[in-house]
Amino acid sequence: MKTRLLLTCAAALWLAGCEFLPEQGRTEATEEEMVAVATDCPGAVPTFEEDACLLPEWIALGLASQRGDGDWRSAKLIEVEQALIAREDARHLARAITLSWGSERQWSQAAELFETHLRSAPETLQPLLRYWRNELEGRRAMAGQLSRSQSALAAQREENEQLAEKLEALTAIEQNINLRQQSP
């Protein structure tokens, strides 16, 4: 009888699926939970306040900076400067994120801000900020490489033009010599 009851319970669990089993220590947040946290956050200029909004606010700023145009970036930089943030380092890092998606001229300023203020960020935020800094440095390196390649290409074109002029001059001299040899 006991075996039969045990087999019946096992069959019921098997047929019902995993819904009736107790949850094991779930650590990952569902997408709905993350959206709920993100919508509960103020969304203005992010701070270093250690709460549920820390990462969502910084991620939102990074994504908005990446998608925004120059006008958005200018308005955001003004908003960052006027924000009432207790820590200056948070303001500088928000500025760095905004500048890092601006023009190439702004990239060096963003890199300096990242370098100077990254260590003052909370430990939970530092990996994200380091990722953005490294991505910025990668873009800066590629832009430098592109600039060097364009300079080398321009130098090669200049050299090619000079060699073409010399070839034309040598061809003219050769034709002149051939004409002199043919005439009596």
Side-chain angles (χ1 to χ4, degrees), residues 2-178:
K2 198 175 190 183
T3 315
R4 189 174 208 191
L5 180 62
L6 195 57
L7 286 173
T8 306
C9 288
L13 280 175
W14 180 72
L15 290 172
C18 298
E19 293 176 9
F20 293 108
L21 292 175
E23 285 190 30
Q24 304 298 318
R26 203 176 88 184
T27 58
E28 292 183 25
T30 64
E31 188 174 336
E32 292 84 20
E33 291 171 342
M34 292 180 74
V35 169
V37 168
T39 55
D40 292 342
C41 298
V45 178
T47 63
F48 286 163
E49 222 174 285
E50 291 277 351
D51 60 6
C53 291
L54 180 69
L55 283 174
E57 283 181 340
W58 285 94
I59 290 171
L61 175 63
L63 291 174
S65 296
Q66 185 176 6
R67 295 177 185 144
D69 60 3
D71 294 336
W72 180 90
R73 224 171 264 94
S74 297
K76 193 62 171 183
L77 288 171
I78 292 169
E79 182 183 346
V80 166
E81 289 304 315
Q82 293 174 351
L84 299 173
I85 300 175
R87 304 231 358 231
E88 259 323 282
D89 294 322
R91 179 178 288 122
H92 289 300
L93 286 169
R95 185 172 175 77
I97 292 167
T98 305
L99 290 171
S100 68
W101 291 102
S103 66
E104 287 185 36
R105 292 187 317 246
Q106 294 173 326
W107 292 356
S108 59
Q109 185 181 3
E112 289 173 16
L113 288 169
F114 272 124
E115 190 63 34
T116 306
H117 301 283
L118 190 126
R119 288 180 205 87
S120 64
E123 289 291 320
T124 55
L125 188 58
Q126 285 187 16
L128 178 65
L129 294 173
R130 274 193 297 275
Y131 172 79
W132 284 336
R133 181 200 61 200
N134 293 342
E135 197 279 332
L136 172 64
E137 291 301 329
R139 279 187 283 131
R140 287 179 70 201
M142 286 179 13
Q145 185 178 13
L146 176 63
S147 177
R148 288 186 299 277
S149 296
Q150 288 173 337
S151 295
L153 180 61
Q156 290 292 322
R157 285 184 179 150
E158 177 72 27
E159 184 181 352
N160 193 20
E161 287 176 17
Q162 290 173 355
L163 289 173
E165 289 173 7
K166 288 179 182 179
L167 182 61
E168 285 179 28
L170 288 173
T171 303
I173 291 171
E174 183 183 13
Q175 286 175 348
N176 206 3
I177 292 172
N178 287 340

